[in-house]
Amino acid sequence: KVLTTVAKSEGVEQLIEFVQPALPMILWNWHEKTSSLASFPWGLLGYGSDVQFYSAHLQVVLPVLVHRRDSTALQQIAAIVGQPISALFEACYPELLGSVLPCFADENQQETATTIISSIEQYLGDEKVRSLLVKKMADVITCVISNLHDPENLKSLFGGELLELPEPTKLMFPARLVLGGIHYIQENSPKSDVPLWIYISQEKPRLTQKVLLKLYTKVHKAKLPE
């Protein structure tokens, strides 16, 4: 009730819209403390069943479970929503890669990133993973950039006075790692020897527009200024 009241005071009618920006952090911390999402109180967010909740938020739930290496929960959710894990991974491919590619730029996280990519390949196959990167490149780039959280450099990156940012999730990264994620995409593009922006402008001229539009839409739909 308190959260609902606060949400309405901010002009947000649906509680889930108010909680949405923090949902990755909430789910991560919940899983970290309970080692499961089975007891997560999705009903408080206005959902009538676990099927409704997981179907609506697979793009948030799957990266958390994959990074937490909870294969049991993945199987349970696949059963709940009535789809194989491979189908879920394909549907959430941009979000999964957006949460792991920056890790390759951090030597302390490279082993984890390699393990996660291997688990994705286990369900989708190497060839499928590579083809989806090209097919969904705009979405992958958008997800990588959307996971930027760099308070120390944000003012120099964007200029102007910025509001205090909320606490980052475990799946958000400073600018240098985000750029590392973009570099990974370049290295695995059909023309890895060509800078990504040149490849995009020559081979996929509308992709830049799609990325910018997706990022603008994310910002425009945000319910809170942060």
Side-chain angles (χ1 to χ4, degrees):
K1 290 183 178 180
V2 173
L3 281 175
T4 301
T5 301
V6 173
K8 289 185 177 180
S9 72
E10 294 287 343
V12 182
E13 291 299 322
Q14 299 296 324
L15 179 57
I16 185 57
E17 294 180 358
F18 184 74
V19 175
Q20 181 73 39
L23 190 57
M25 180 175 64
I26 293 171
L27 291 175
W28 182 283
N29 289 335
W30 189 279
H31 191 280
E32 194 170 48
K33 291 180 179 179
T34 67
S35 299
S36 171
L37 294 181
S39 60
F40 185 77
W42 39 260
L44 295 178
L45 300 179
Y47 291 96
S49 68
D50 51 1
V51 177
Q52 289 182 353
F53 173 73
Y54 288 123
S55 297
H57 299 288
L58 279 174
Q59 289 84 358
V60 178
V61 173
L62 288 194
V64 171
L65 296 181
V66 169
H67 275 264
R68 299 285 299 164
R69 304 183 191 182
D70 191 343
S71 57
T72 300
L74 285 173
Q75 294 170 358
Q76 291 172 342
I77 290 175
I80 288 172
V81 301
Q83 296 186 56
I85 293 177
S86 58
L88 301 185
F89 275 16
E90 183 170 351
C92 300
Y93 180 87
E95 289 78 15
L96 288 171
L97 262 66
S99 69
V100 68
L101 295 189
C103 297
F104 281 106
D106 183 349
E107 61 180 15
N108 295 321
Q109 300 186 63
Q110 287 176 358
E111 183 176 349
T112 297
T114 300
T115 300
I116 292 173
I117 290 294
S118 296
S119 69
I120 296 174
E121 291 175 343
Q122 177 184 347
Y123 288 102
L124 295 180
D126 297 358
E127 185 175 338
K128 185 76 168 182
V129 168
R130 289 193 295 270
S131 66
L132 283 174
L133 181 59
V134 177
K135 181 180 179 181
K136 299 190 176 187
M137 187 174 288
D139 293 313
V140 174
I141 292 174
T142 300
C143 288
V144 170
I145 296 175
S146 296
N147 286 333
L148 172 68
H149 186 279
D150 198 339
E152 294 182 3
N153 298 304
L154 211 54
K155 186 174 181 179
S156 63
L157 287 170
F158 299 104
E161 294 297 326
L162 297 170
L163 296 173
E164 183 177 350
L165 294 174
E167 286 297 313
T169 71
K170 299 287 187 178
L171 306 179
M172 301 190 78
F173 311 94
R176 66 179 183 85
L177 298 189
V178 167
L179 291 174
I182 298 298
H183 182 66
Y184 180 98
I185 297 173
Q186 174 183 315
E187 289 184 329
N188 289 273
S189 70
K191 293 187 176 180
S192 58
D193 57 330
V194 177
L196 186 62
W197 68 272
I198 293 180
Y199 164 73
I200 291 174
S201 63
Q202 291 178 344
E203 305 293 331
K204 297 176 177 289
R206 297 187 62 184
L207 191 143
T208 301
Q209 182 181 0
K210 287 178 65 177
V211 170
L212 293 174
L213 179 60
K214 288 175 181 292
L215 290 171
Y216 172 80
T217 302
K218 278 178 172 283
V219 173
H220 183 68
K221 287 184 176 180
K223 297 299 180 181
L224 297 176
E226 291 83 359

